[in-house]
Each structure stands twice: as C-alpha cells, then as structure tokens.
Amino acid sequence: MSEAPPILIVDDQVKLVRLVTELMNRLGFPEVEGVVDGPQALEQLRTKRYGLVISDLDMEPMDGIQLLREIRADDVLHNTPFILTETSFSFEDINVAHLAGADAFILKPFDLSLLKTKLKQVLNGRPRKREAPVGPLSSLNVDFPLLGKF
C-alpha cells in the first residue's frame, strides 16, 4: 500500500483551511497542512515536498492563479498537482487557470464525493511535461461534432 502524499491547503479563510483539512483526513490523508496566502504557500513548498496543493482562487496579496504560475515556473515544483477552489468560476477564470496549468477546479462548498472524484483524477494523472508557453489561442478553434468548426 502506498503512503498518502502530504497535502497543502491554501485559503485566506482559516475556517475553510480547517474544513478542507478535516475532509482530507477523512479521505485518508493524514498529513495535511494549511496556510492563509500565496507567499506562505511558496515558502512551504520550497521547504517540503507536497503531493498536492488545493488553493483558493481569490486571495491577497497573491491570488490562486499567481500562485499556480509561480509553481509551474519553478523547475522543482512544476509537477505538483494543483486544484483551484472558489465559490463561483467564470468562463474566463477557468480558461486562464487551465492555460496556467490547473489540474482541476472545485466549486465551494464541495462535498466529500466530489472531492474524492477530483482527487482520483488529479493524483492519478501523468507527470506534467515542460512545454513552451501556450499563446492566447482560443479553445474554440476545434471541430465540435454538433456545432461545426469555429
């Protein structure tokens, strides 16, 4: 049986850090730590190896996207799985986060079954390949069977 990886929770609301920590413990992740902002998260990530980061999108002074970009730009951290959480996501939020390298999105409040599903998807994913930055191409330039080509 493999050991559960340490998890880092990043949210500016201390109550949510505690809630997500409790949910992760119930799911079999005994080593869960929480911080309340992006700079603290980067400091933690650079001193300890984490198997997953679950971060709020809307934080100060560094939001979840900025944190994600810092992680993806770091040669040591770039493969760290990353889940973004927020009470609502706009299409633009999802597109920007996807281009920045987010592995999954979860709307708050999330339940245990949804969290399980997302964790399985993200933690069983393949390691990230280092690629050249993607230009601002629209995701609508593909052929959709029922919509035709955009």
Side-chain angles (χ1 to χ4, degrees):
M1 183 172 157
S2 65
E3 220 177 277
I7 309 291
L8 182 63
I9 310 300
V10 188
D11 199 305
D12 55 356
Q13 296 182 34
V14 175
K15 286 182 181 181
L16 283 173
V17 170
R18 280 189 241 140
L19 173 68
V20 177
T21 299
E22 178 62 30
L23 288 173
M24 297 304 289
N25 291 157
R26 287 184 193 177
L27 291 173
F29 295 90
E31 195 176 344
V32 182
E33 297 174 16
V35 295
V36 295
D37 65 35
Q40 285 181 7
L42 284 173
E43 187 177 318
Q44 285 291 108
L45 285 160
R46 289 182 175 132
T47 60
K48 181 176 180 178
R49 196 80 171 143
Y50 290 89
L52 173 66
V53 174
I54 299 175
S55 175
D56 184 36
L57 174 65
D58 189 22
M59 300 181 294
E60 293 291 332
M62 176 187 287
D63 67 22
I65 298 292
Q66 291 169 311
L67 174 60
L68 174 58
R69 286 181 176 141
E70 290 285 330
I71 290 170
R72 294 296 180 244
D74 188 294
D75 289 337
V76 175
L77 303 175
H78 78 275
N79 271 328
T80 305
F82 195 100
I83 297 176
L84 267 175
T85 64
E86 189 53 70
T87 55
S88 67
F89 286 108
S90 69
F91 177 77
E92 184 180 345
D93 290 337
I94 292 172
N95 193 38
V96 168
H98 176 71
L99 290 173
D103 294 298
F105 309 92
I106 302 178
L107 285 173
K108 295 182 211 175
F110 45 88
D111 64 21
L112 209 51
S113 63
L114 176 63
L115 184 57
K116 273 185 187 178
T117 301
K118 293 293 184 175
L119 288 170
K120 284 180 187 175
Q121 290 172 351
V122 170
L123 294 175
N124 292 328
R126 291 189 208 140
R128 181 171 303 281
K129 292 180 183 176
R130 293 296 262 181
E131 299 173 6
V134 178
L137 296 176
S138 169
S139 59
L140 297 177
N141 62 356
V142 295
D143 190 11
F144 290 92
L146 298 176
L147 301 175
K149 195 159 187 118
F150 280 89

